[in-house]
C-alpha cells in the first residue's frame, strides 16, 4: 500500500494541466531545478522606426521613444546651383521695374515667388465711350434739325468725337495673380503690344524662380529621406546586435 501512493501521485501529476510561472530575475545557477528551455522568451529588442516620407517631416511631430537610442537625422547639404543674375528691366515710362526676383509696379514691390502669373488686357473706358457716342449722335441730330448753327455744331462734334476716341482707346489692365491671395489690378497707359512683351518676360522669370524653388525643395526632401533611411538602418543594426548579445548571454548561462 505504501508503494501504491506514489503511483497515484505520479498519475495525478501527469494528467494535471501544465502551469506557467512568471520568469524571475534570478540567474540560472540560483535555481538548478529550473529548465532554461521552458522559460518565457525574453522581451524583444526595440523595433526599428518605420520609414516615412520626407514630406511628412514638415507636418508630423517627432515621436519620443522610451527605450533605445534616439536618432535625430539631419539633412545633408543640398547641392543646387544658384540662379544666375538677370539684367533689370523697366518700362519706357518707368512705372514698372523687373529684376531677377522682384517686380515693382507704381512703387509697390512684389516678390516673384509670391506671384503665380501676370496678364495684360486692353480695356475701354465705358463711361467716356458711351458719353462720346451719345453726345456725337445728339449734336449731329440737333444740327440736322437746324437747332444748332454750323459753328457750335462743329465744336460739339469735335469735343464728343474726342471723348469717343479717348474712351475707345482706353488703357491696359495689368493683373497680378498672387498665390493664395486676391489678384491686384493696375492701369498702365500706352500701346498694348510693348506691355504684352514685357509681361511675357515677367511670366518667364516667375516660372524660372518657381522651378528653382521646386528643385531646391525636391533636393531637401531627398536628403531628409536619405537621413531617415540611414537612421532606420542604424536602428535595425543596433537591434540585431542587441539580440545577438542576449542570445549569447543565454547560451553562456
Amino acid at each position: 500500500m505504501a508503494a501504491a501512493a506514489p503511483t497515484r501521485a505520479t498519475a495525478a501529476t501527469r494528467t494535471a494541466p501544465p502551469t506557467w510561472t512568471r520568469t524571475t530575475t534570478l540567474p540560472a545557477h540560483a535555481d538548478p531545478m529550473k529548465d532554461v528551455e521552458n522559460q518565457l522568451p525574453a522581451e524583444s529588442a526595440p523595433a526599428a522606426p518605420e520609414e516615412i516620407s520626407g514630406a511628412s517631416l514638415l507636418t508630423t511631430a517627432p515621436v519620443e521613444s522610451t527605450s533605445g537610442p534616439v536618432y535625430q537625422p539631419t539633412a545633408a547639404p543640398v547641392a543646387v546651383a544658384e540662379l544666375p543674375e538677370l539684367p533689370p528691366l523697366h518700362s519706357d515710362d518707368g512705372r514698372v521695374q523687373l529684376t531677377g526676383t522682384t517686380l515693382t509696379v507704381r512703387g509697390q514691390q512684389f516678390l516673384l515667388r509670391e506671384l503665380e502669373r501676370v496678364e495684360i488686357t486692353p480695356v475701354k473706358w465705358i463711361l467716356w465711350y458711351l458719353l462720346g457716342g451719345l453726345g456725337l449722335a445728339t449734336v449731329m441730330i440737333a444740327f440736322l434739325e437746324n437747332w444748332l448753327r454750323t459753328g457750335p455744331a462743329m465744336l460739339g462734334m469735335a469735343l464728343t468725337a474726342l471723348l469717343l476716341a479717348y474712351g475707345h482707346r482706353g488703357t491696359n489692365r495689368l493683373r497680378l495673380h498672387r498665390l493664395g491671395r486676391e489678384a491686384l489690378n493696375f492701369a498702365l497707359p500706352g500701346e498694348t503690344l510693348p506691355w504684352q512683351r514685357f509681361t511675357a518676360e515677367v511670366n518667364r522669370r516667375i516660372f524660372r524662380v518657381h522651378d528653382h524653388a521646386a528643385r531646391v525643395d525636391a533636393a531637401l526632401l531627398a536628403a531628409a529621406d536619405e537621413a531617415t533611411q540611414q537612421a532606420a538602418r542604424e536602428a535595425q543594426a543596433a537591434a540585431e546586435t542587441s539580440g545577438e548579445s542576449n542570445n549569447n548571454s543565454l547560451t553562456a548561462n
Side-chain angles (χ1 to χ4, degrees):
M1 296 301 292
T7 304
R8 287 193 298 270
T10 303
T13 304
R14 292 178 180 175
T15 57
T19 58
W20 297 93
T21 59
R22 194 169 186 176
T23 307
T24 62
T25 56
L26 294 177
H29 59 81
D31 191 3
M33 300 302 294
K34 183 180 292 295
D35 189 3
V36 178
E37 296 179 354
N38 293 333
Q39 295 180 0
L40 291 176
E43 295 181 359
S44 58
E50 182 182 359
E51 297 183 5
I52 55 179
S53 62
S56 62
L57 295 175
L58 302 177
T59 56
T60 305
V63 179
E64 297 182 358
S65 177
T66 56
S67 62
V70 178
Y71 294 93
Q72 297 179 354
T74 57
V78 182
V80 178
E82 294 292 336
L83 285 176
E85 293 292 335
L86 295 178
L89 301 177
H90 59 84
S91 60
D92 296 335
D93 54 7
R95 287 183 171 90
V96 182
Q97 292 86 28
L98 175 65
T99 65
T101 57
T102 61
L103 174 66
T104 305
V105 183
R106 293 183 178 273
Q108 190 171 355
Q109 191 176 40
F110 304 91
L111 293 176
L112 295 183
R113 287 196 62 178
E114 67 175 313
L115 298 178
E116 182 180 357
R117 70 181 188 279
V118 300
E119 59 183 17
I120 192 77
T121 306
V123 296
K124 297 179 180 180
W125 296 118
I126 302 298
L127 178 61
W128 301 112
Y129 190 79
L130 293 177
L131 287 177
L134 293 175
L136 180 61
T138 302
V139 171
M140 292 181 66
I141 292 173
F143 176 71
L144 293 176
E145 293 292 337
N146 294 325
W147 295 342
L148 291 176
R149 295 180 179 271
T150 304
M154 294 297 104
L155 180 60
M157 289 182 186
L159 293 177
T160 54
L162 289 177
L163 288 178
L164 181 62
Y166 181 73
H168 180 74
R169 181 172 180 266
T171 186
N172 300 295
R173 182 186 63 189
L174 179 66
R175 174 169 291 182
L176 305 181
H177 295 271
R178 298 181 293 176
L179 295 172
R181 303 178 65 184
E182 185 180 359
L184 294 179
N185 297 320
F186 296 91
L188 301 175
E191 298 296 330
T192 304
L193 184 58
W195 286 117
Q196 289 177 345
R197 296 174 181 171
F198 191 85
T199 54
E201 177 64 20
V202 174
N203 287 327
R204 189 184 71 83
R205 295 194 181 188
I206 289 175
F207 174 78
R208 174 174 174 266
V209 169
H210 283 297
D211 181 68
H212 180 264
R215 286 188 281 111
V216 171
D217 293 340
L220 287 173
L221 289 176
D225 285 338
E226 180 63 25
T228 305
Q229 293 174 5
Q230 179 65 26
R233 287 192 293 266
E234 293 177 359
Q236 184 66 27
E240 293 177 356
T241 303
S242 178
E244 290 178 359
S245 61
N246 290 339
N247 293 335
N248 293 336
S249 62
L250 290 176
T251 305
N253 294 333

